[in-house]
């Protein structure tokens, strides 16, 4: 805070009047502004999400000789199934990788029951991804019953 000792219109001659020195305040505010401008772009996180196009209503059905997709399902009881075949978790990664390597599309679909704990679903997804599967698509809707 600065003081002014000058001629003023005050009652007493030579009285000391307080005056605010705003230079340090402006310096601090400008430094904070620069810091926030530099840090803000670093805080954004990107998640790449491929959303498939809406299916056409009058789309023809797939040919009868088309390969069925590989679907890993996780039930409430913790049982993992690949295309309705029960597979133990220690065999899951190797089995799925062998199935994917024999296919041209290299896509595996994952479906978990809505009552399965999130951590358990992630554990299975990590197990499959750690086995070498590159594209793991999570199904959002319930699979139709056959």
């Amino acid at each position: 805070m600065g003081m002014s000792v000058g001629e003023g219109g005050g009652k007493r001659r030579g009285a000391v009047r307080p005056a605010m020195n705003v230079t340090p305040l402006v310096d601090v505010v400008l430094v904070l502004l620069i810091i926030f401008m530099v840090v803000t772009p670093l805080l954004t996180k990107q998640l790449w999400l491929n959303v498939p196009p809406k299916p056409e209503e009058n789309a023809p059905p797939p040919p009868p000789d088309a390969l069925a997709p590989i679907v890993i399902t996780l039930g409430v009881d913790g049982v993992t199934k690949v295309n309705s075949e029960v597979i133990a978790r220690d065999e899951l990664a190797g089995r799925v990788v062998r199935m994917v390597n024999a296919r041209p599309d290299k896509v595996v679909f994952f479906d978990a029951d809505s009552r399965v704990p999130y951590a358990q679903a992630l554990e299975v997804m990590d197990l499959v991804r750690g086995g070498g599967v590159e594209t793991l698509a999570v199904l959002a809707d319930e699979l139709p019953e056959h």
Side-chain angles (χ1 to χ4, degrees), residues 51-62 141:
V51 180
K54 277 186 136 178
E56 298 176 14
E57 290 183 19
N58 297 332
D141 295 332

Side-chain angles (χ1 to χ4, degrees), residues 28-146:
V28 169
V29 170
L30 287 176
V31 167
L32 287 175
L33 177 67
I34 291 170
I35 289 173
F36 286 130
M37 286 172 55
V38 170
V39 171
T40 301
L42 300 176
L43 296 177
T44 60
K45 294 189 185 326
Q46 293 182 349
L47 174 66
W48 295 102
L49 181 65
N50 295 328
V51 180
K54 277 186 136 178
E56 298 176 14
E57 290 183 19
N58 297 332
D65 60 344
L67 293 171
I70 300 172
V71 180
I72 300 173
T73 56
L74 178 62
V76 179
D77 52 358
V79 174
T80 54
K81 297 179 183 178
V82 177
N83 293 346
S84 302
E85 179 185 348
V86 177
I87 297 178
R89 286 204 187 166
D90 54 346
E91 300 173 4
L92 183 65
R95 189 88 171 264
V96 170
V97 168
R98 283 195 304 271
M99 292 172 76
V100 167
N101 288 338
R103 301 172 61 92
D105 59 355
K106 311 282 190 222
V107 177
V108 175
F109 295 95
F110 178 75
D111 186 33
D113 192 284
S114 60
R115 297 169 290 180
V116 171
Y118 184 71
Q120 192 174 6
L122 279 182
E123 179 183 316
V124 173
M125 290 172 64
D126 286 342
L127 183 67
V128 172
R129 289 289 305 262
V133 173
E134 292 181 18
T135 307
L136 183 64
V138 179
L139 295 176
D141 295 332
E142 296 290 326
L143 287 175
E145 295 293 325
H146 292 280

